[in-house]
Amino acid sequence: MIERKVAMRRLVAVICVFGTILISGSIIASASRPEQTVAPPTFLASVVQREAANMGDPLPSATGFVETTRQAAEDASHGGKVDSNTAVYYVVLHGHFVDSKAFLPAGANSPVGNEIDFTIDKATGEILDFGIGNGTPALSRLGAVFPVPGMPGGL
Amino acid sequence: MGFLKRSMIGAIVGVVGLAVASPAHANDHAVVYWYNSTQNAGASTDLWVAPGAAADWSSGGHINQTLWEGTNNTTNVTYWAEAGYTYAYHAINGLWFYWADNIPNAQYPYHDHRVATFQPTQSSWANIAIQYTCCNSWDITIKGQLVQSYQGDYSESNNNPPFSNSIQSGLETTSSSSYLLDAYSANLHYFDMSNNAHDWTGGIAYHDPPSTSSWVSQDTEMTDDLN
């Protein structure tokens, strides 16, 4: 009888420990994965897919975007100063890219890189800034990072 | 055997990766360029906003009339800042001012930007200037006035070292089916270290057929065309 009680107590203790681990785990997971309360407009995915294809890699290996402002996005990568500071989606893609239609002087080769980043005007869905290189802008410093719908995350 | 297999797969992936990542065909131009120019701290020109259209706009193509300023003391525009007007920008059809740069930075070398606060007017002149200020920054000036940013400052190409030993102006296109009718770059000047303006005395006209370029007035005004 006593043995049975001890066994029962041990079972309850084990269940409590596992329960605590599960609950705390889910709390940590939900804290590190921000919930997207409002779905991004449908143009976001189509603009990103088009840009990735135009840059030679329609299947990026990793994607991420944040909602921020134009100058903040520029400060996160190239550092140029732009002429407006509208609300934008700032998108970063990893893959194998060639900007075969970059703005270039005569004699220059098309820029290549494993990263492209661009801003999309939230109001118009048009690209305002574009870059290609080999860095990874610190998206998380600008806000909650989400994968581009229909594409892998990882950034 | 496993190692061999992995090595072969690695080699194939590497070759495919190289094939994808190799620099592709660069664009066609009709320009005046001056490589190994007199060292300068900037350049300017008046661009005639000519009628045009980009045939390949939906795939990211464009046709533009532009001023390129070499930076980082490069003698053939290896690094640069550029500004001008473009028909089409990143698969949106339209007419905009834009600027771009390629800086000596391994992580983020190339960027381009659409000017969002005002647009070109067809069949009018637009002054473009790119001038070194300090601290690896170049001001971008469009339409005779500094482009005002939301910060009350200017559009700037930053992290882009001085000075310049190469300049260029004229037409660039990503498709020979696009057109730009009788564009001009007039009042071609560079600025010496004391900010005095001088003509492009070493400029050479160059074009990729079917586009054309030639001097209208030697050293100061060129014209280009693609139709």
Side-chain angles (χ1 to χ4, degrees):
Chain A
M1 192 65 181
I2 293 168
E3 281 176 359
R4 221 182 249 179
K5 276 185 180 174
V6 171
M8 202 64 173
R9 277 178 194 160
R10 278 183 184 160
L11 184 65
V12 169
V14 167
I15 289 169
C16 286
V17 168
F18 273 109
T20 307
I21 289 169
L22 281 173
I23 290 166
S24 58
S26 66
I27 289 168
I28 290 165
S30 63
S32 60
R33 259 188 280 118
E35 290 294 322
Q36 198 161 8
T37 51
V38 180
T42 51
F43 71 67
L44 178 71
S46 59
V47 170
V48 172
Q49 285 163 7
R50 183 190 69 208
E51 195 65 6
N54 286 342
M55 295 299 151
D57 190 347
L59 300 171
S61 57
T63 76
F65 78 90
V66 295
E67 297 181 40
T68 184
T69 56
R70 191 183 181 195
Q71 186 60 56
E74 186 62 17
D75 289 342
S77 59
H78 194 65
K81 194 177 286 182
V82 289
D83 71 309
S84 66
N85 200 30
T86 48
V88 296
Y89 295 109
Y90 182 42
V91 181
V92 176
L93 308 180
H94 281 184
H96 298 286
F97 301 107
V98 181
D99 187 359
S100 60
K101 295 183 177 180
F103 292 89
L104 304 171
N109 289 326
S110 301
V112 299
N114 58 31
E115 178 266 351
I116 57 174
D117 59 275
F118 47 98
T119 60
I120 302 172
D121 190 318
K122 286 181 75 171
T124 64
E126 297 175 354
I127 290 176
L128 295 176
D129 310 281
F130 171 86
I132 182 169
N134 296 295
T136 301
L139 282 178
S140 59
R141 288 186 190 169
L142 300 174
V145 184
F146 303 102
V148 175
M151 292 184 164
L155 293 178
Chain B
M1 192 64 186
F3 171 76
L4 272 176
K5 200 174 174 183
R6 278 197 300 276
S7 300
M8 282 178 70
I9 291 168
I12 290 165
V13 168
V15 167
V16 170
L18 276 175
V20 170
S22 295
H25 168 70
N27 309 331
D28 288 339
H29 293 78
V31 297
V32 163
Y33 69 85
W34 186 5
Y35 295 163
N36 293 295
S37 67
T38 305
Q39 189 178 54
N40 65 83
S44 72
T45 185
D46 293 326
L47 301 182
W48 177 249
V49 184
D56 57 341
W57 66 267
S58 62
S59 60
H62 49 88
I63 186 166
N64 47 286
Q65 184 80 3
T66 297
L67 172 68
W68 288 270
E69 168 80 351
T71 60
N72 199 32
N73 277 321
T74 53
T75 56
N76 58 353
V77 207
T78 307
Y79 299 106
W80 69 87
E82 66 175 271
Y85 65 85
T86 179
Y87 285 94
Y89 182 83
H90 286 278
I92 302 295
N93 202 10
L95 173 61
W96 291 285
F97 290 115
Y98 81 98
W99 67 276
D101 56 7
N102 186 46
I103 65 176
N105 178 316
Q107 287 197 305
Y108 306 109
Y110 174 86
H111 266 66
D112 55 57
H113 313 271
R114 203 176 94 182
V115 172
T117 48
F118 60 95
Q119 287 182 268
T121 304
Q122 212 175 67
S123 302
S124 71
W125 291 99
N127 178 265
I128 304 285
I130 301 168
Q131 286 180 282
Y132 185 72
T133 52
C134 80
C135 322
N136 296 334
S137 290
W138 299 75
D139 277 350
I140 309 292
T141 307
I142 297 177
K143 288 194 84 172
Q145 56 186 348
L146 287 160
V147 177
Q148 297 296 308
S149 81
Y150 75 99
Q151 292 169 316
D153 209 328
Y154 324 126
S155 284
E156 280 177 355
S157 170
N158 286 333
N159 307 311
N160 203 355
F163 283 94
S164 177
N165 291 89
S166 47
I167 43 184
Q168 190 178 120
S169 187
L171 177 157
E172 175 190 20
T173 186
T174 54
S175 168
S176 57
S177 299
S178 298
Y179 70 89
L180 191 66
L181 305 177
D182 295 327
Y184 293 86
S185 297
N187 296 317
L188 289 162
H189 290 134
Y190 73 85
F191 301 105
D192 64 25
M193 300 303 163
S194 302
N195 209 32
N196 298 310
H198 303 272
D199 296 345
W200 289 22
T201 50
I204 296 169
Y206 165 85
H207 63 270
D208 295 308
S211 62
T212 60
S213 69
S214 60
W215 284 110
V216 175
S217 177
Q218 184 71 35
D219 302 339
T220 60
E221 182 171 356
M222 60 86 69
T223 183
D224 52 69
D225 182 81
L226 176 61
N227 62 38

